[in-house]
Amino acid sequence: MSLLKNNSSNSNSFNNDKATLEHGQRAEENTSNFVYNPNHKLPIYTQRSRLPIYASRSEILYLLEKFQVLVLVGETGSGKSSQVPQYLLEVGWAHNRKMIAVTQPRRVAAVSLAARVAEERNCILGDEVGYSIRFDDCTSPSTKIKFLTDGLLVREMMGDPLLEKYSVIMLDEAHERSINTDLLAALLKKILKKRKDLRVIMSSATIDAHKMKDYFNVKERGNNNDNAAILQIEGRCYPVDIMYSKHPVDDYVKATVDTVLMIHKTNAPGDILAFLTGQDEVEECCRLLTEKLKTFSSKTKYRIQSVPMYSNLPAREQLKVFQRAPSGTRKVIFSTNIAETSITIDNIIHIIDCGFVKTTVYDPDFNTETLTVLPISQASANQRCGRAGRVTSGKCYRLYSEEEFLKLKPQSVPELQRSSMAFPILQLKALGVSNVAKFDYLSPPPAKNFSRALELLYSLGAIDPKVELINPLGHQMAEMPLNPMFAKCLLKASEFDCSEEILTLCALMQIKNLFHVPSSGKEKMKAARVQREFYAMEGDHMTNLNVFTTFVNNRRSKSWCDKYYASYASLNRAYNIREQLLKYVQRFGIEMSSAKGFDDDKVLKCLCSGFFANVAIYTSRGCFKSLRDPVKSPDLFIHPDSVLYTVPFKSGTYVLFTETVHSTKMYLRECSVVKSDWLLEVAPHFYSVR
Ligand code: ADP
Ligand code: MG
């Protein structure tokens, strides 16, 4: 028997939408949020008054009296996030029991900013200044300044549609254009019409402010006054010379190192900041530079010190980026995009820009979200350039030609336009938005992304043909901080007697790497040998379950993790996420049950009930094809990290997958072998028998 995709419901195939616990805040949870304070030895008051924003205090307050929306532009470190809420508090915006809210795209940023502001105000965290992130509320009735994630504010609207608790809402890091920032901007625009007392600050580190201003500046009948204003905080700014590469470079990693050496050879003074796309490239540059310096005939008066920078780097190592190099030594920082807006490094004279960035892209045809290296936008190139010239004039070396620069997109694509719309649609529906496709988005997502998401939600049983949420499934899926396919599995798991197992799998999907990968070949082999103990022939899902269960049975001990090269931090995070998800399941009154390791089929069948659209079939051509549309499907391969990598498949074998990776080929990374009968049983609306 072979399965054929039902043509009646043209729903979607693989979805690699890795929702983290607060949807839209991806893969940043294990990363540090590093803020360097060069004035830490001075008294707090002096530190505050030395920040560039201090001079704009009265102007900010004046503009907020006059306008409902203020777009505030100032470079990272100028004092936007920590000072503006305090200025507002000082002049009484938190009177009448109203609060000042400041949203952050990342949980760690919300917590550390709250701690910093509490320290500056000399109060206990959670008192006057607090934070609230999902499952961790550190506020009290006396809280006046509240830092929270943008995802949480979207959820607060479900209980408080006009956000009446707040007098001012600051959407911080608006330039990042996270999914939730974009959703909030659109929702706040509606609220502002009803609440003339409310103020909104969009704060941004880059200068594309006019689009935001125009978006909020709707002229109402009989009122021609602007509703929104822009304020740019003056930073010191010296000219930066831009040098383009004459010919396209074919290896920007190598070209970056060569450019470093070229600068070094000419004895031009000053530190260098080079932009690359990922940790691997950063490390490769450090290695290459060290190697090349060995044969470099040193006629220069400077020594050179290379420093890596990426978000996963331990805080202790990140500090080195900010420390001054000893005199006579030139510091070269090889960094990912983190140095574009998230951090500011002083005294940079030379910028090297490879012209690329690693970002998630959504493919509506196959419904995958995959990390891909893409050319940056002109705005990004200019922002990178501006990272020099803060202390004196600088130079920017672009490893691409001027023609190539002119061909770049003017602005980067917001996350909402390059992600699956399935979860945003569920949320907007839960917030009472009637027509999600015609909603007034800051940048409307492509129509195809809507149709794909609607098809998926319909086939999952979350919405009816009129695009209304189905009770209770649709509403529960909107509340659950999970990708809708996982949410469906979890909400249906008790019917398959395996909610304990599915709960674990949902938690494990939120973390990146269960295991450490040792760098030496010998260690790698040893790791593979000890880890074989967990391998399940069904595939990665049962294998991961084995790892987690054994970890918990060994009292979550660090030494157990070390023995098996398992990541202690990741597994503990999964453990915590599991506890949090359990609270939802309990609140929805879903019974917990377990297949108790006797019946793996039940677990896999339950996975099919959510991921029926993510199934691939092995073909005689030696690769997999998406079952949804084998003709159009790209060739799919099992990822080398999967336990199924070495399995000799027979044609006609079905594999369900929950994660894809796109590098040289399209890979299925987390996958399990499933049976066609199961698909027919759990998704008869989706498949029919050929
Ligand atoms: P912006 O939001 O404009 O990037 P911030 O308000 O976050 O700026 O930070 C302004 C300055 O306050 C920083 O340059 C740093 O000196 C200090 N600062 C902010 N957060 C912290 C922190 N967690 N610890 C120490 N200093 C901090
Ligand atoms: Mg900030």
Side-chain angles (χ1 to χ4, degrees):
M1 179 182 61
S2 68
L3 291 179
L4 185 71
K5 164 77 180 54
N6 250 353
N7 284 330
S8 53
S9 68
N10 181 26
S11 190
N12 56 358
S13 176
F14 26 117
N15 184 313
N16 181 25
D17 179 351
K18 245 196 160 179
T20 61
L21 259 185
E22 268 155 65
H23 198 87
Q25 284 135 33
R26 284 145 213 262
E28 286 287 346
E29 295 304 324
N30 293 329
T31 65
S32 57
N33 181 56
F34 200 91
V35 187
Y36 179 68
N37 180 0
N39 294 326
H40 65 276
K41 291 203 177 105
L42 302 173
I44 288 277
Y45 174 77
T46 323
Q47 286 183 34
R48 288 190 62 193
S49 57
R50 283 201 180 179
L51 290 172
I53 202 164
Y54 187 71
S56 306
R57 184 181 185 274
S58 19
E59 201 171 351
I60 293 169
L61 295 171
Y62 167 77
L63 289 171
L64 278 172
E65 291 294 333
K66 221 166 163 265
F67 297 94
Q68 261 193 304
V69 180
L70 174 63
V71 183
L72 184 65
V73 187
E75 75 169 329
T76 306
S78 55
K80 303 179 298 298
S81 318
S82 62
Q83 304 307 305
V84 174
Q86 297 190 69
Y87 298 163
L88 295 167
L89 179 69
E90 286 155 10
V91 297
W93 277 99
H95 282 167
N96 306 327
R97 295 169 183 270
K98 297 255 189 214
M99 280 188 283
I100 297 154
V102 184
T103 70
Q104 294 295 316
R106 281 172 290 275
R107 295 153 55 99
V108 270
V111 178
S112 73
L113 267 168
R116 169 68 186 177
V117 175
E119 185 193 329
E120 287 189 10
R121 304 200 65 75
N122 200 14
C123 75
I124 295 169
L125 185 58
D127 247 359
E128 188 184 50
V129 182
Y131 68 85
S132 187
I133 57 179
R134 181 95 38 93
F135 306 114
D136 185 3
D137 183 19
C138 180
T139 61
S140 64
S142 52
T143 299
K144 298 204 157 71
I145 298 177
K146 175 162 147 189
F147 290 90
L148 74 174
T149 50
D150 47 14
L152 198 71
L153 193 61
V154 174
R155 297 180 49 85
E156 281 194 1
M157 286 180 78
M158 293 186 187
D160 180 9
L162 293 180
L163 293 171
E164 310 259 19
K165 307 203 250 302
Y166 304 107
S167 57
V168 185
I169 294 168
M170 174 159 158
L171 298 190
D172 206 359
E173 314 289 355
H175 59 267
E176 283 189 25
R177 301 291 305 275
S178 74
I179 291 181
N180 286 315
T181 300
D182 272 29
L183 293 182
L184 277 173
L187 293 161
L188 284 172
K189 188 173 169 181
K190 273 175 79 177
I191 296 179
L192 283 167
K193 287 195 194 121
K194 296 194 180 135
R195 277 193 58 196
K196 295 292 175 198
D197 61 319
L198 181 70
R199 295 293 181 271
V200 171
I201 303 172
M202 304 287 286
S203 83
S204 167
T206 57
I207 40 181
D208 178 35
H210 290 277
K211 185 183 167 74
M212 285 185 199
K213 180 186 159 205
D214 294 343
Y215 175 72
F216 283 104
N217 247 345
V218 267
K219 299 276 188 299
E220 286 168 357
R221 228 176 299 150
N223 178 8
N224 258 336
N225 296 333
D226 272 3
N227 193 36
I230 299 180
L231 177 66
Q232 177 148 13
I233 300 160
E234 292 302 323
R236 263 157 306 181
C237 182
Y238 297 87
V240 178
D241 280 344
I242 299 174
M243 255 82 64
Y244 289 98
S245 145
K246 282 204 190 77
H247 312 286
V249 303
D250 39 83
D251 179 348
Y252 60 71
V253 171
K254 197 172 150 286
T256 300
V257 175
D258 290 343
T259 311
V260 168
L261 291 171
M262 185 270 294
I263 297 169
H264 197 53
K265 229 182 248 172
T266 57
N267 272 315
D271 293 348
I272 304 172
L273 169 63
F275 286 96
L276 295 146
T277 75
Q279 180 179 340
D280 45 344
E281 288 172 6
V282 166
E283 283 170 351
E284 176 66 5
C285 276
C286 291
R287 198 190 58 75
L288 255 176
L289 182 63
T290 317
E291 196 173 281
K292 290 212 167 177
L293 281 172
K294 281 185 199 151
T295 54
F296 187 76
S297 60
S298 172
K299 285 197 198 82
T300 128
K301 52 183 185 209
Y302 300 102
R303 273 188 302 272
I304 207 160
Q305 173 196 19
S306 56
V307 196
M309 180 73 196
Y310 44 83
S311 56
N312 277 325
L313 198 69
R316 185 170 24 88
E317 297 292 315
Q318 295 195 3
L319 191 62
K320 290 189 186 149
V321 165
F322 300 96
Q323 283 160 349
R324 279 221 155 166
S327 78
T329 302
R330 182 202 303 281
K331 191 166 68 174
V332 181
I333 299 148
F334 295 110
S335 173
T336 60
N337 213 35
I338 187 172
E340 192 178 299
T341 57
S342 305
I343 59 164
T344 294
I345 305 161
D346 280 334
N347 302 314
I348 296 294
I349 306 289
H350 308 275
I351 298 288
I352 304 173
D353 173 13
C354 73
F356 288 91
V357 67
K358 200 181 269 180
T359 178
T360 46
V361 238
Y362 175 68
D363 175 350
D365 281 330
F366 288 96
N367 199 31
T368 45
E369 273 176 345
T370 351
L371 265 183
T372 312
V373 173
L374 283 183
I376 55 171
S377 64
Q378 292 184 1
S380 228
N382 293 335
Q383 173 68 19
R384 286 180 177 187
C385 191
R387 306 272 72 193
R390 297 176 65 252
V391 277
T392 170
S393 53
K395 285 203 168 76
C396 176
Y397 302 84
R398 290 181 173 161
L399 303 181
Y400 40 94
S401 65
E402 188 161 12
E403 292 87 76
E404 283 174 277
F405 170 79
L406 293 170
K407 279 188 237 152
L408 296 175
K409 284 201 185 86
Q411 298 295 333
S412 309
V413 182
E415 197 182 3
L416 196 64
Q417 291 185 325
R418 47 181 176 84
S419 305
S420 162
M421 283 298 291
F423 191 69
I425 287 177
L426 281 181
Q427 286 196 303
L428 289 174
K429 288 311 298 182
L431 285 168
V433 173
S434 48
N435 190 340
V436 286
K438 294 230 172 81
F439 193 50
D440 185 9
Y441 298 95
L442 193 46
S443 312
K448 205 165 185 180
N449 296 12
F450 280 106
S451 51
R452 282 289 177 251
L454 292 175
E455 285 160 9
L456 176 70
L457 293 174
Y458 177 71
S459 65
L460 285 171
I463 55 171
D464 64 17
K466 288 187 181 146
V467 194
E468 294 308 328
L469 291 183
I470 290 174
N471 227 346
L473 198 62
H475 287 277
Q476 290 175 344
M477 280 165 72
E479 248 191 81
M480 205 57 114
L482 279 178
N483 148 351
M485 293 157 116
F486 269 114
K488 166 81 185 281
C489 295
L490 189 50
L491 292 165
K492 287 281 165 195
S494 61
E495 291 175 19
F496 297 89
D497 302 321
C498 60
S499 24
E500 297 281 357
E501 286 83 358
I502 295 291
L503 193 59
T504 303
L505 287 177
C506 287
L508 286 174
M509 279 318 290
Q510 313 287 326
I511 59 171
K512 270 207 171 147
N513 297 312
L514 247 57
F515 295 111
H516 294 299
V517 184
S519 47
S520 92
K522 215 172 132 197
E523 286 267 296
K524 250 188 210 146
M525 269 160 61
K526 189 175 163 216
R529 199 169 56 238
V530 291
Q531 286 161 8
R532 205 158 295 150
E533 218 174 277
F534 307 111
Y535 282 14
M537 59 180 196
E538 292 88 349
D540 299 300
H541 301 98
M542 300 315 293
T543 302
N544 293 347
L545 260 180
N546 286 343
V547 175
F548 186 82
T549 315
T550 322
F551 166 70
V552 174
N553 290 345
N554 281 278
R555 295 188 310 273
R556 296 191 277 139
S557 91
K558 175 96 172 53
S559 59
W560 181 87
C561 289
D562 292 344
K563 184 174 164 202
Y564 289 97
Y565 297 85
S567 165
Y568 180 70
S570 297
L571 283 169
N572 270 306
R573 182 165 148 69
Y575 184 86
N576 290 332
I577 293 174
R578 192 181 187 281
E579 299 280 288
Q580 295 164 11
L581 288 173
L582 180 62
K583 290 190 193 143
Y584 278 91
V585 175
Q586 287 168 336
R587 188 154 54 78
F588 295 149
I590 291 168
E591 224 175 284
M592 290 308 289
S593 54
S594 167
K596 297 201 185 63
F598 303 131
D599 199 349
D600 294 348
D601 285 6
K602 284 188 170 165
V603 177
L604 295 174
K605 222 192 234 183
C606 181
L607 276 182
C608 287
S609 75
F611 284 88
F612 49 81
N614 281 23
V615 177
I617 180 167
Y618 197 68
T619 65
S620 52
R621 297 180 44 210
C623 63
F624 284 89
K625 290 280 186 180
S626 156
L627 196 52
R628 175 181 176 255
D629 192 344
V631 180
K632 277 203 205 146
S633 164
D635 292 348
L636 305 168
F637 298 88
I638 304 285
H639 194 275
D641 285 354
S642 164
V643 299
L644 296 181
Y645 181 57
T646 51
V647 172
F649 288 105
K650 285 203 197 92
S651 358
T653 307
Y654 294 94
V655 157
L656 171 151
F657 52 93
T658 52
E659 194 182 330
T660 53
V661 178
H662 193 170
S663 52
T664 45
K665 295 173 184 167
M666 185 60 106
Y667 286 111
L668 312 178
R669 191 164 128 158
E670 299 282 339
C671 39
S672 289
V673 177
V674 295
K675 293 190 183 138
S676 55
D677 311 4
W678 300 344
L679 295 170
L680 280 176
E681 189 186 323
V682 299
H685 56 293
F686 200 75
Y687 292 110
S688 60
V689 187
R690 176 154 25 198

